Amino acid sequence: MIRQWSRRSLSSLTRLQRGGLPRSSGGSLRRATAVRSLATAASSSSWSNRQQLDQTLLSRRHPVLPPTSSAGAAVRGLSTAAPEEYEPPPPPFNKLMAANRGEIATRIMRAGTELGCSTVGIYSHEDRFTQHRYKADQAFELSSDKSPVAAYLDIDTIVKVCVQNGVQAVHPGYGFLSENAGFAKKLEEAGVKFVGPTVDNLNTFGDKTSAKELAIKANVPIITGSDSAFSTPSEAEAWISDPANPITYPVIVKAAMGGGGRGIRIVPTANDMESMFRLASNEALNAFGDGRCFVEKYVDQPRHIEVQCLGDGTGNVIHLYDRDCSVQ
């Protein structure tokens, strides 16, 4: 919590230095005095709760001038009553974990701090000196017996850290376990909130083959491809070679789970299937913990259009219109 208050205090000082107080003939002196007094107060042990800090910041930014002063007389109708006491909303969770690393984990922790949540980070042994470890109020090292990526895919260890340390919610970020229904399910069973889609939604959309089935039921046009995922290159080759399947090379193999362009390879000919499938499968396994891939007809220079949806968990869902992701 000490780090949290220091970040808040520095941010407040910056706002004051940029002109948070009204300008007057002695404005510079008054601002400097306010900054010094706030710095002194923020470093005092008596500043231990947020309400006192927020109330002082409010009074510094909106001071009440006495009616006898020249500035007070110039402002007609200015109230001399004490400012209303500011009541910050309660945090949605007391303790929030960012189950990710790097920049995305840092962003999650920043959002959690702004909402009043205590933040928890996890890190692999190789990430012990990275920023996201030190941005958290608490941070726990994952298994050093696993590879740097596999450590962040260790569902049992992450859930155990949550249970043992009173974590109420987990934000998965993107990649890693963000679309893993098994992870969300285990958190749910442990009484920890998964900040993301429901388990049912993850089962439907996390697996691309299941998502294609739903698209077919909704009469949405899809690219010709396999209805199920394959574990080996030979399975994929056998499906392409079957005359009942109207598909020819070049094809593309895609990871059944995950997203973000990971686990995708173009297969120009049958001779390339073995190597390309292995590359895609290994990348998917390392990134998402599942190496299965499905096959689709390769489309040269396509336009990648997305429509993102946002729901609040209570039945209210909106879409954020379409965007052209081809430039990514």
Side-chain angles (χ1 to χ4, degrees), residues 173-230:
Y174 56 77
F176 290 129
L177 297 171
S178 61
E179 298 183 36
N180 190 302
F183 179 50
K185 181 66 175 177
K186 287 203 171 185
L187 287 174
E188 184 180 276
E189 293 172 349
V192 180
K193 177 69 175 179
F194 180 79
V195 182
T198 64
V199 175
D200 288 340
N201 283 340
L202 287 172
N203 281 325
T204 301
F205 295 104
D207 186 332
K208 302 301 182 295
T209 55
S210 297
K212 287 181 65 175
E213 291 177 3
L214 185 63
I216 293 172
K217 291 179 181 179
N219 295 320
V220 176
I222 63 170
I223 299 172
T224 302
S226 60
D227 295 329
S228 57
F230 308 114

Side-chain angles (χ1 to χ4, degrees), residues 149 255 260-265 277-291:
V149 174
R262 307 293 297 275
I264 298 178
R265 291 294 186 277
F277 189 98
R278 295 291 182 193
L279 288 172
S281 179
N282 289 338
E283 185 177 23
L285 182 63
N286 290 331
F288 313 118
D290 190 333

Side-chain angles (χ1 to χ4, degrees), residues 15-220:
R15 289 197 298 271
L16 286 168
Q17 289 169 328
R18 290 176 179 172
L21 293 177
R23 297 184 181 275
S24 67
S25 58
S28 299
L29 178 61
R30 290 166 57 202
R31 281 195 297 276
T33 303
V35 170
R36 284 196 299 272
S37 62
L38 181 59
T40 301
S43 62
S44 171
S45 59
S46 64
W47 284 79
S48 59
N49 70 67
R50 174 178 307 182
Q51 186 171 341
Q52 287 178 302
L53 181 58
D54 287 338
Q55 186 173 350
T56 298
L57 294 177
L58 185 64
S59 64
R60 293 296 187 191
R61 292 182 64 83
H62 304 285
V64 177
L65 302 177
T68 56
S69 68
S70 58
V75 182
R76 297 183 180 277
L78 181 64
S79 172
T80 59
E84 294 185 8
E85 191 171 303
Y86 173 63
E87 291 282 350
F93 310 105
N94 290 332
K95 191 174 285 190
L96 171 70
M97 173 188 282
N100 214 296
R101 64 178 299 277
E103 172 263 349
I104 182 58
T106 302
R107 286 176 177 265
I108 294 168
M109 292 167 190
R110 176 182 176 182
T113 298
E114 291 177 354
L115 291 171
C117 305
S118 176
T119 57
V120 176
I122 54 175
Y123 60 95
S124 66
H125 180 72
E126 290 77 6
D127 279 344
R128 63 191 182 279
F129 301 121
T130 54
Q131 176 178 257
H132 78 271
R133 172 187 177 182
Y134 298 102
K135 287 295 184 180
D137 295 313
Q138 288 181 288
F140 301 92
E141 183 173 352
L142 299 170
S143 175
S144 58
D145 297 332
K146 298 180 180 294
S147 70
V149 174
Y152 292 98
L153 298 173
D154 189 352
I155 294 176
D156 292 336
T157 298
I158 296 174
V159 174
K160 182 179 178 181
V161 169
C162 292
V163 173
Q164 291 181 344
N165 296 279
V167 173
Q168 293 183 326
V170 172
H171 194 307
Y174 56 77
F176 290 129
L177 297 171
S178 61
E179 298 183 36
N180 190 302
F183 179 50
K185 181 66 175 177
K186 287 203 171 185
L187 287 174
E188 184 180 276
E189 293 172 349
V192 180
K193 177 69 175 179
F194 180 79
V195 182
T198 64
V199 175
D200 288 340
N201 283 340
L202 287 172
N203 281 325
T204 301
F205 295 104
D207 186 332
K208 302 301 182 295
T209 55
S210 297
K212 287 181 65 175
E213 291 177 3
L214 185 63
I216 293 172
K217 291 179 181 179
N219 295 320
V220 176

Side-chain angles (χ1 to χ4, degrees), residues 3-20:
R3 190 178 304 113
Q4 177 179 337
W5 295 129
S6 65
R7 289 200 301 271
R8 182 184 290 271
S9 300
L10 287 173
S11 176
S12 303
L13 291 176
T14 301
R15 289 197 298 271
L16 286 168
Q17 289 169 328
R18 290 176 179 172

Side-chain angles (χ1 to χ4, degrees), residues 235-316:
E235 293 176 355
E237 283 188 59
W239 183 85
I240 296 172
S241 302
D242 188 343
N245 299 319
I247 191 171
T248 57
Y249 290 96
V251 299
I252 189 168
V253 290
K254 295 182 177 180
M257 305 297 292
R262 307 293 297 275
I264 298 178
R265 291 294 186 277
I266 300 170
V267 185
T269 67
N271 295 331
D272 302 304
M273 176 59 77
E274 178 76 22
S275 60
M276 293 296 103
F277 189 98
R278 295 291 182 193
L279 288 172
S281 179
N282 289 338
E283 185 177 23
L285 182 63
N286 290 331
F288 313 118
D290 190 333
R292 294 176 303 128
C293 296
F294 64 100
V295 175
E296 284 185 340
K297 178 63 180 177
Y298 173 61
V299 179
D300 188 24
Q301 296 184 343
R303 298 295 295 273
H304 178 186
I305 309 299
E306 288 187 0
V307 178
Q308 293 186 320
C309 299
L310 186 66
D312 64 359
T314 63
N316 298 312

